[in-house]
Amino acid sequence: MKVNAEKERASLRCVKALASRGGVDAVSQQMASHPQYLESFLRTQHYILHMDGPLPLQYRHYIAIMAAARHHCGYLVSLHSAHFLRVGGDPLWLQGLEAVPPRLQHLDQLNKVLAHQPWLTARSHIQALLKTGEQCWSLAELVQAVVLLAHCHSLCSFVFGSGTDTDPVPLPRAPNGTPPGYCLCDAANGNVSVPQPLTSPSEHTTRRRVSVVCRTRLNMTSELFHNRSLPETTVAYEEEMIYSADPSRFITDPEFGYQEFARREEDHFQVFRVQDYSWEDHGFSLVNRLYSDIGHLLDDRFRSVTALPSSHGPDLKRATWNYIHCMLGIRYDDYDYGEVNQLLEKELKLYIKSVACYPDATKTPLCPLPWAPLKPSERIHVNLLIMEARLQAELLYALRAITQYMIA
């Protein structure tokens, strides 16, 4: 226990040191109070955005843009727009969905449903995307796209819940290939070459800032989280471009949003029972088979967040998780839902519902966390639970629909 505590303190010091030098993005800075979870989160995000997979890098970042735009998350839209350009994406695509290939346009319906009413996800959505034709998706591509959509939808909840959606995202333009200071994944992936901006001047503003130029290549998890020395750095001044994209250009049907899950007998929506289709018994094996290793990475995230220490005990964490799933139509037959009302105060339930179901509404401080005093790490802990519970819920609905398609 003493060794683990020392490692955690060293990891936290490392994250904070990098953050103070501009080497960690705003989301990672928020998560730094839980470094063991942060390691798991970064490893998964790095894998789906940068490592081997069926989707081209440009597609991955554009799908992330589409997902973040459903919640009007300017921070993530700008972040992935900058990344999209860095990996050689066509700047015309950033004009909106009408400018992208039809196969990406076809993904819009699944994106919309998963983001706001995931219980509507059906075999027909999967079948429409996988049908034969020049613009169809392969099953492997679609599974990676689903993981990206669910990851970014749930990350929007964390971004707004933790107040990260504030500053614009920088896109450096250094002639010597200086890595951007906002994303560990770039340094870890060796992506230190930044192309010249390709979009119109109206999309950008410039400013001067101090940035950190890493002389050594970061190994994202082993270097950062195992009490090793920080890479040697030097400070350099450079011109930096700020990419700002309007999220509304990447969505259709903007009025479509979260609605209360139907509970009346006359409604045709069926409760999703975990006993019939669960992550452990069904989702994990399917996603791991169709998208190698991602199941293990996602499972580690779920285990990491539930293992985080909390002064409020495991019962409250379980009540939070099950309450989020209940709002999304997922029920556990072996759980007494009376505990939700006993353990979660009314104000806290309002906050959880807002962040989980319509996170863009939290841009104004309508539902602050009611507990006082509450340590910053505990506040982040609640937001991490919301993010991971929502991520698993979306994955369950999408993977069940894929399973139904495969066995039909």
Side-chain angles (χ1 to χ4, degrees), residues 123-294:
R123 181 173 65 88
S124 58
H125 293 112
I126 307 303
Q127 188 174 16
L129 292 166
L130 296 177
K131 64 183 180 182
T132 57
E134 185 178 348
Q135 297 297 330
C136 71
W137 292 71
S138 72
L139 187 56
E141 289 174 331
L142 182 56
V143 169
Q144 186 177 17
V146 162
V147 172
L148 275 165
L149 290 174
H151 169 79
C152 291
H153 292 156
S154 59
L155 186 55
C156 287
S157 288
F158 181 85
V159 166
F160 284 125
S162 59
T164 306
D165 190 53
T166 52
D167 297 326
V169 177
L171 175 64
R173 54 170 185 175
N176 60 351
T178 298
Y182 61 81
C183 185
L184 276 176
C185 297
D186 293 307
N189 199 36
N191 295 333
V192 294
S193 179
V194 182
Q196 291 294 322
L198 300 175
T199 53
S200 62
S202 62
E203 297 283 359
H204 300 93
T205 56
T206 60
R207 69 180 182 187
R208 299 280 293 185
R209 74 183 289 267
V210 179
S211 67
V212 175
V213 183
C214 294
R215 292 179 178 173
T216 62
R217 177 178 176 177
L218 285 175
N219 182 320
M220 184 174 62
T221 55
S222 63
E223 292 287 335
L224 179 60
F225 296 101
H226 290 86
N227 197 19
R228 300 185 184 181
S229 58
L230 291 174
E232 185 180 1
T233 59
T234 184
V235 176
Y237 286 90
E238 65 182 31
E239 285 291 332
E240 182 183 78
M241 300 206 82
I242 307 303
Y243 190 89
S244 178
D246 178 11
S248 63
R249 69 180 65 171
F250 303 107
I251 62 173
T252 62
D253 194 6
E255 299 303 315
F256 186 86
Y258 174 78
Q259 294 182 358
E260 296 289 341
F261 180 77
R263 295 182 177 87
R264 295 169 298 179
E265 293 182 1
E266 61 268 25
D267 291 321
H268 67 277
F269 300 118
Q270 297 295 318
V271 170
F272 188 118
R273 299 196 179 279
V274 173
Q275 281 67 23
D276 298 329
Y277 196 96
S278 68
W279 167 256
E280 293 81 5
D281 296 332
H282 305 90
F284 170 82
S285 59
L286 177 64
V287 74
N288 217 45
R289 174 158 56 90
L290 297 175
Y291 184 11
S292 180
D293 293 328
I294 191 62

Side-chain angles (χ1 to χ4, degrees), residues 6 34 78 222 328 356 362 375:
E6 286 296 328
H34 298 292
S78 296
S222 63
L328 299 176
T362 64
K375 295 180 180 179

Side-chain angles (χ1 to χ4, degrees), residues 59-72 76-77 80-81 96-97 100-101 103-112 115-116 137 149 152-153 156 247 249-252:
Y59 269 58
R60 301 183 198 189
H61 290 294
Y62 201 88
I63 291 169
I65 292 170
M66 292 172 61
R70 284 308 318 181
H71 291 305
H72 307 283
L76 290 180
V77 169
H80 288 286
S81 296
L97 285 180
V100 303
R103 64 199 308 253
L104 278 172
Q105 295 178 14
H106 296 161
L107 191 65
D108 179 62
Q109 181 66 19
L110 181 60
N111 176 34
K112 178 179 72 173
H116 303 295
W137 292 71
L149 290 174
C152 291
H153 292 156
C156 287
R249 69 180 65 171
F250 303 107
I251 62 173
T252 62

Side-chain angles (χ1 to χ4, degrees), residues 347-402:
E347 292 81 4
L348 178 59
K349 289 173 66 178
L350 176 62
Y351 175 85
I352 292 171
K353 185 174 184 178
S354 297
V355 176
C357 301
Y358 28 84
D360 42 316
T362 64
K363 285 186 287 187
T364 55
L366 297 178
C367 353
L369 281 174
W371 296 337
L374 186 67
K375 295 180 180 179
S377 62
E378 285 289 342
R379 179 182 293 266
I380 297 300
H381 187 183
V382 171
N383 289 323
L384 292 178
L385 280 171
I386 295 172
M387 175 174 67
E388 294 300 330
R390 182 182 175 189
L391 170 63
Q392 188 179 97
E394 287 194 30
L395 289 174
L396 284 174
Y397 278 112
L399 294 173
R400 185 182 66 169
I402 291 173

